[in-house]
């Protein structure tokens, strides 16, 4: 399974096709694209966006969730090579 986290952190404006070539399937209430190889997923309804400096905090209400690969081992930040700076 490819690690795509680095390719999904860009804004939609700068990377409009960020899921191109990634296998997805429709799931949940609104048919939201879910990564086919994900262990699980959560679909949310947008409740509000809140300005926070140069970021925007998105507040959502969970409307659906699913577990796709029961018993599979989750990829951690450390295994993916990411580190928190602090």
């Amino acid at each position: 399974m490819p690690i795509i986290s680095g390719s999904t952190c860009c804004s939609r404006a700068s990377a409009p096709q960020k899921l191109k070539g990634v296998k997805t399937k429709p799931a949940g209430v609104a048919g939201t694209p879910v990564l086919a190889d994900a262990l699980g997923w959560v679909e949310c309804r947008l409740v509000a966006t809140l300005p926070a400096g140069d970021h925007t905090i998105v507040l959502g209400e969970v409307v659906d969730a699913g577990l796709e690969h029961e018993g599979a081992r989750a990829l951690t930040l450390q295994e993916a090579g990411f580190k928190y700076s602090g």
Side-chain angles (χ1 to χ4, degrees):
M1 180 175 93
I3 297 174
I4 63 165
S5 59
S7 64
T8 59
C9 65
C10 305
S11 72
R12 190 155 213 27
S14 65
Q17 298 295 321
K18 63 177 101 181
L19 293 179
K20 186 176 182 177
V22 176
K23 186 177 175 185
T24 63
K25 63 181 187 175
V29 175
T32 304
V34 172
L35 302 179
D37 292 328
L39 298 181
W41 51 270
V42 177
E43 182 179 20
C44 297
R45 176 184 67 82
L46 179 64
V47 172
T49 56
L50 310 162
D54 62 348
H55 289 71
T56 301
I57 297 173
V58 178
L59 179 63
E61 174 188 7
V62 175
V63 294
D64 202 3
L67 180 62
E68 299 298 321
H69 302 283
E70 192 170 336
R73 188 167 168 245
L75 178 65
T76 65
L77 286 173
Q78 184 177 10
E79 290 169 329
F82 292 98
K83 297 179 183 174
Y84 285 109
S85 60

